[in-house]
Every structure is written in C-alpha cells, then in structure tokens.
C-alpha cells in the first residue's frame, strides 16, 4: 500500500555552521549507500544536499549557516528499507556527535513519521500540537449527513470516537464522563436530566445506573449512536440498544427545536448536561456563527433548568485561555444571571488537560 | 537563532498516482512563489520535485506511484516565512482536494515541526511515539555526574523534570505520586518508610504529611534534589530544604550499599517505595545489566521489608507488554516468594497509561 516512512535527525550547533566541513564529514555515509548527491548552495542561506537512492528513497541534508543541520530521509514503509535507513541514521548521528564535540551542541532524532498510512495515527491536540496515537486499526469510517465518523482502536485507550477529525471520547475516558456529570458530587436519584448530544452514550449509561426519574438524551446523528452501540460498548453498555428504557429515552433530533419546545411548555430539569462540541477555538466573536449557536444553546438550556438546577458542560483545552475567557464572557450575556465554577481534568485520550464548567442560576434576591 | 520550521502535507490517493498529471496540477503553485524546480524521476518509483526559494526555504514534492503524494516545506522559523509557507500550503491543499475529487482519498496536514529550536518540545513516549509538549521555557539544563538533568516549563503541566531525555514527573503529576504510594489505601501514620530514589521529593512530601514514624529517602544525585528544591516546589513543598526533619531524613547516597547495610543490620520497613527508573524497555534479559540491577534492588528491598510490609514501584507504559511480563517473571526469582498486583494509571504529563506494582511477601504457611 501507499505509505512512506519519514525520519529526521537534527544537529543544533553552538556556533555558526561551516557548510564545507559538515558536508565533507557526512556525505560519505550517503555515498557508501550508493546514493547520488545533488548540491544547491545559496549565497547567504547555506546549502541543501539531496541524496537519491535507486530504490526510491531519498535524503535531504540542509545546512543552515546559523548553526542548524537538518537531515530528512524518506523511504517506502517496509521492514527492509527501514532497517537500511536506521543504520544510515546511526552512522550520521555518530558523525554529528563528533562534529559537535568541541561546542555545546544538541543532536535530536525523532521517532519516524508514517506518511499516508492506511491507519492514520496523528490526531493533533486542540491547542495544535502534534501527537501520535498508538492506533492499530480503523474500526469504522463513515460519512453521516452531519459529520465524518471514525472509530479507531488504540492499544491503550481502547476504541476512540473521532468526529470530523476531533478526538471525542475513548473507552478509557471515564474521567470525561465523570467530570461532565459533576465529578461524583451530585445525586441523580429520582432527578430529571437532559443530555444534549452525548451520542457515545457514556453519560446516559452512567446516569441510568443512578436511577434518575427520567434521563432524556437528544442526539442529532443516528449514525454516531449506531457506531458507538456496536464498537464503544465499554462506554455505553447496553443503553443505546433500545432508544427507551424504564428511566431514559433517546431522541434522534436536533436539540434546538426540542429545547424550544420544552421552554414553551415550561418543562424544567434538575440537570442539563451539554455534551455537544467543545467551546470554539476561534476568538473572533463576530465572524463565528458557532459562538452564536453556543449562546443560543446556553440561553435555551437556562430556560429549561430549574432555579436550583445545575448545567454541566465541557470547555476546551486548558491552554486555550482566550477561547475559554470568551466563553466565560458569554455566560454574562444570558437572559438570566448565572454563576459558574470550573475544574481542570486529565482525560486520558486527549493528551491535554481539559476544562469543565458547572453553571447555575444566581439565587433570586 | 538556529531553528527551522518543517511543514508536511500528504495526499493519499485511492488509486495509482499519475505523476505527470499531479506535477502539472501542483507545480505552478511553487513557480508563482518564484521557486525553481529540479526534477528527478525513477524508473519504477515515481518522482521527486525539489523547489528552491531564494530566501533559503525549499519544498520536496514526492510522488509515489502506488498512490501517495507527500509534500515537505522547510523554512526559517520566523513569522514572515511561516505566513508565506502556510498560504502556499493552503493552495496546494486545495489542489490536492481537487485531484482527489473522483476517488476515495485523504489529505492530511500535520502541525509544523520546529527543528533545532532553543526549546525542544518533542519528548517521545516510552513506547516510542512522537509527541509535542507545550514547553515554553528551559528552566534548567545541567549535567550531573550521573545524568543529564532538565527542568522544562509546560504551559499546562507546570515544571517538568526530564532525566536523560526521559519525562520523570511534572508538577501536575500528583496521580503518579498517589499511585506509587498505594492509591490512597495505605495508612502511613507511625510507619517506617524507605524511599529509593525519588529525588523530585514528591513522595517524601506526601508521606511527611501523613506523620510516619520515619521516612528515609535515599537519592544518589544531589543535583536533582537541588533543581527540584528550587523549581518543583509544587511537587516537593519544603521537604528538600533541609535534609532532615522530625519524621524524615534524606540520604545522598547510592541506595545499593544502604540497602545492604540495612539488610545486614536486620533493619526492616513497613513500606519500601522504589522510585528509581522505570522497568527497562529492553527485553533481552542476558545482555542488559539494567535487569540485573533491577533484580538486585528487588531482592535487597524484600530483605528489608517486614513480613506484612508492602513494596510499591512503577512499571512502565501499559503498551510495553513484553517488558512488563519480563518484570513479572523477575518477581518469581527473588530469594523469597512474593505476590503482586498492578494498576493502570493516567499520569497527565506522560501522555500514555502507566502501570504501577504492589509487591508483598507471600504469607508463611
């Protein structure tokens, strides 16, 4: 299949780089492999040597005059070429260490990046960092009318639900479900609960165990439910097998008209749990309609929340301070005054710390 | 300073790649930037087009005949060039999407990799995956007689201790300390406790709060203690400020002779907590002296452990199943029969699930 293996090896020198000396020291390693050199030198920007191998692999050795030497080797993803490339990298690494013997320098070799593999292991964090997951299987990959739905298997996290490229929840992420239910501090027995979104069934499954009066979940995408019912059973148990039970019901609907209907009817809940998408990352309030959507949901949710009820939701990665503070500003613009608290939680599969909010109506004077 | 920004963009086609057609569609984007092309075509392996810019940036467009197109752009790490490169990538991404319109294809763009930056953000996991940390400052970087000691600041995790390139503990990692102390299920009041290693002071700090009879910590590297005392105060509090207190003492010594001395004296502890390095990854038992060291420590630890005492230690990443089972085999080769249990814990800064062991002496018949 189509996949390439991309290796990198960098030498950061403590001083200016002497292109000629570095080339002289390293090029023989490539030539010994039968690779042919093409050299390009800039007037002021150092040089780039490209080494081509008959088997289709190639290397780029870029020497920046200000003291950085970067080496990239790209080859077919296969055991034989990988071994050859690793042995070549070992030799270059050794020479790089010799080159840096007399000055404070740093040699850094990263794990190889697999490009275009059948199983995509790279799902960046919400704050834009590159992370590689231990994914070994594509369990499902489908387009619904609303989004791309992937369930991928991670060796350590179990099956992971990824919606439109966003890691939503893995079977290991009980910490997410616990946090968005109020961190074990709430008593759901006999209570009326409304869950917005939550198609993976994790929240519903936990709440049903706690014997609520009625838990109503409103999820727009039937295909998410079908996928999770089948492949995320450690998360949802059997609550998605039937869409109704003794103390729960699942509505396959857009939550906005449902909320409007409940508000009109004067129906109120002890708990509203918003498990829709995370707080938007964009900080341009005017341009972004997702902020408007978020405010609409918040406003409607407060209308169907009892005066002493609680609203739980996720925020976003703790590093996205601007987006989070913009969200907190929105909480000041609702039809009724509210107060809130937040908690930072480590959700295993997210590979970043996540903020969760509790919102409640301000006590009436 | 010396740092480069490396961007990647991949197109995985559902069919064989037509080199000519792909080149024809993409090359003008580079030419519009004034980049000059050098083309190399293999007989059976597709082609590589290198585009050079006068400002020192360059691009490699590699077309593999089996259906993968990989693009790499490397430039100086600076705002102006980054903006230019991102706009170029946007254009190529658009054309790639056009190219893949008629077949199931995937376009993937990863966050840029910073090469040779003053702050190194890439600290791979124990199971060899590439992860980027949100590190924004090198707090300290020193060579001790035993190891390289780095303390780096992560925006979300606080200061992080990295020994010989291995993420040891961040200020956010209370979960590690809790797990290696028995997950809150032990009563340390009035007990005799021995800590092997633990130079960051996290375990000692928590145990001292629990009023042991005496907690003795044996750490070989004074420079680790000095660094943590200064920069990891959220972890160690003030227990490292003085090396002795009412109910604790810190010995700056190699723990092996200390253990031998205690064993000879017949001194015994209620708890032994081994916070030395993780279980070795290498699975070649014969070649690796670290396994021998580990067995020696285990044996000596059992000799100084009371019959009803407990020994706690970390294992390694849950994915390293071979190394972990080899460790468990070692537990069967000690001078006295032991039993053990294990627990999988999410330590925030590790970005992987970690195994912790509890070992105890088998009840005498």
């Amino acid at each position: 299949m189509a996949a390439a293996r991309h290796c990198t090896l960098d030498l950061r020198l403590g001083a200016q780089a002497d292109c000629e000396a570095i080339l002289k020291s390293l090029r023989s390693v490539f030539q010994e492999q039968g690779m042919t050199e093409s050299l390009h030198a800039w007037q002021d920007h150092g040089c780039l040597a490209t080494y081509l191998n008959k088997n289709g692999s190639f290397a780029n050795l870029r020497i920046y005059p200000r003291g950085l030497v970067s080496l990239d080797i790209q080859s077919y993803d296969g055991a034989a070429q990988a071994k050859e490339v690793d042995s070549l990298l070992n030799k270059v690494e050794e020479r790089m260490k010799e080159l840096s013997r007399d000055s404070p320098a740093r040699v850094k070799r990263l794990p190889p990046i697999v490009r275009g593999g059948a199983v995509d292991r790279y799902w960046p964090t919400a704050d834009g960092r590159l992370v590689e997951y231990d994914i070994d299987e594509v369990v499902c990959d489908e387009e619904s009318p609303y989004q791309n739905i992937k369930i991928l298997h991670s060796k350590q996290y179990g099956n992971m639900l990824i919606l439109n490229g966003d890691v939503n929840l893995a079977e290991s992420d009980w910490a997410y479900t616990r946090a968005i239910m109020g961190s074990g501090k709430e008593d759901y027995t006999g209570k009326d609960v409304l869950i917005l979104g939550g198609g993976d069934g994790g929240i519903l499954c936990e709440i049903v165990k706690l014997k609520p009066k009625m838990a109503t979940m409103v999820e727009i995408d039937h295909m998410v439910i079908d996928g999770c019912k089948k492949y995320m059973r450690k998360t949802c148990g059997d609550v998605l097998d039937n869409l109704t039970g003794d103390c729960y019901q699942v509505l396959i609907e857009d939550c906005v008209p449902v909320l409007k209907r409940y508000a009109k009817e004067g129906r109120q809940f002890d708990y509203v749990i918003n498990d829709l998408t995370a707080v938007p990352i964009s900080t341009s309030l005017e341009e972004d309609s997702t902020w408007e959507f978020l405010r609409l949901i918040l406003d409607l949710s407060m209308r169907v929340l009892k005066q002493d009820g609680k609203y739980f939701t996720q925020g976003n990665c703790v590093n996205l301070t601007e987006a989070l503070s913009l969200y907190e500003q929105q909480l000041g613009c609702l039809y009724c005054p509210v107060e809130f608290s937040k908690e930072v939680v480590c959700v295993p599969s997210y590979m970043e710390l996540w903020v969760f909010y509790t919102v409640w109506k301000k006590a009436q004077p």
Side-chain angles (χ1 to χ4, degrees), chain A:
Chain A
M1 265 314 295
R5 188 168 177 267
H6 190 118
C7 295
T8 66
L9 175 60
D10 296 324
L11 166 63
R12 183 185 149 94
L13 290 160
Q16 297 278 307
D18 176 346
C19 282
E20 273 312 305
I22 293 167
L23 266 176
K24 204 177 149 200
S25 156
L26 300 182
R27 71 160 44 111
S28 63
V29 184
F30 303 98
Q31 287 170 343
E32 280 162 19
Q33 300 288 315
M35 296 172 99
T36 55
E37 180 186 87
S38 317
L39 187 63
H40 177 86
W42 283 266
Q43 183 87 46
D44 308 306
H45 302 295
C47 68
L48 169 70
T50 303
Y51 297 94
L52 297 164
N53 194 316
K54 282 196 199 102
N55 65 12
S57 68
F58 70 98
N60 274 305
L61 181 67
R62 176 76 173 94
I63 306 174
Y64 292 91
R66 288 182 293 175
L68 173 64
V69 182
S70 78
L71 171 66
D72 291 82
I73 306 184
Q74 212 179 98
S75 60
Y76 283 103
D77 184 22
Q81 283 207 13
K83 208 175 151 187
E84 211 177 288
V85 167
D86 288 345
S87 120
L88 192 150
L89 280 165
N90 290 343
K91 283 179 201 152
V92 177
E93 190 171 353
E94 214 167 283
R95 299 224 176 153
M96 281 186 172
K97 283 177 180 158
E98 279 166 28
L99 279 169
S100 62
R101 220 171 21 198
D102 302 323
S103 74
R106 194 176 72 210
V107 176
K108 185 84 181 190
R109 182 164 161 184
L110 298 181
I113 300 175
V114 177
R115 315 270 297 258
V119 175
D120 182 0
R121 295 163 62 94
Y122 306 92
W123 299 97
T125 59
D127 70 341
R129 285 174 295 112
L130 177 59
V131 292
E132 178 185 356
Y133 283 86
D134 56 350
I135 289 167
D136 54 9
E137 194 195 341
V138 178
V139 174
C140 106
D141 187 352
E142 291 178 330
E143 293 293 333
S144 84
Y146 305 101
Q147 56 205 333
N148 173 270
I149 303 167
K150 281 189 182 66
I151 297 178
L152 307 179
H153 181 260
S154 148
K155 282 208 286 179
Q156 62 190 309
Y157 301 133
N159 284 339
M160 289 172 61
L161 175 67
I162 297 178
L163 298 178
N164 280 347
D166 235 37
V167 175
N168 261 246
L169 197 84
E171 288 180 308
S172 63
D173 294 340
W174 188 71
Y176 177 97
T177 306
R178 187 175 187 275
I180 206 169
M181 283 175 60
S183 296
K185 285 175 285 195
E186 304 300 323
D187 180 10
Y188 284 91
T189 318
K191 298 289 168 60
D192 261 315
V193 186
L194 180 64
I195 305 164
L196 309 177
D200 54 62
I203 297 169
L204 185 63
C205 176
E206 291 305 316
I207 285 186
V208 162
K209 290 180 196 165
L210 303 171
K211 309 283 173 212
K213 184 172 158 204
M214 177 54 70
T216 302
M217 171 175 139
V218 190
E219 165 63 52
I220 201 171
D221 198 339
H222 207 309
M223 287 177 68
V224 171
I225 289 183
D226 286 344
C228 293
K229 177 167 75 180
K230 202 162 169 187
Y231 300 116
M232 302 272 292
R233 292 194 79 85
K234 273 182 202 150
T235 297
C236 63
D238 59 5
V239 292
L240 301 180
D241 293 354
N242 298 297
L243 298 182
T244 51
D246 269 0
C247 60
Y248 71 92
Q249 58 175 335
V250 178
L251 311 180
I252 312 289
E253 279 187 69
D254 179 347
C255 71
V256 173
V258 174
L259 282 166
K260 284 183 175 163
R261 196 166 72 228
Y262 287 166
K264 205 173 158 194
E265 292 167 4
R267 186 152 167 208
Q268 291 210 312
F269 295 86
D270 297 289
Y271 294 102
V272 177
I273 302 179
N274 176 346
D275 191 27
L276 302 168
T277 47
V279 161
I281 289 177
S282 157
T283 49
S284 57
L285 263 188
E286 298 74 19
E287 288 172 36
D288 206 332
S289 67
T290 53
W291 280 104
E292 233 166 274
F293 174 71
L294 186 141
R295 210 163 41 230
L296 172 69
I297 296 284
L298 261 170
D299 225 277
L300 286 168
S301 295
M302 288 304 135
R303 285 180 201 275
V304 303
L305 188 68
K306 288 187 184 166
Q307 178 61 34
D308 60 350
K310 278 187 187 159
Y311 173 88
F312 295 118
T313 193
Q314 64 169 321
N316 207 312
C317 161
V318 73
N319 278 346
L320 294 171
T321 47
E322 279 187 62
L324 292 168
S325 80
L326 210 49
Y327 175 73
E328 291 166 23
Q329 282 173 37
Q330 302 303 302
L331 294 176
C333 310
L334 304 183
Y335 85 94
C336 68
V338 303
E339 294 178 303
F340 70 92
S341 66
K342 55 186 162 177
E343 190 187 10
V344 175
V345 173
C346 179
V347 179
S349 84
Y350 284 16
M351 305 220 205
E352 56 192 335
L353 299 180
W354 212 251
V355 177
F356 288 84
Y357 285 98
T358 304
V359 183
W360 61 91
K361 290 178 176 174
K362 215 169 169 173
Q364 285 168 331

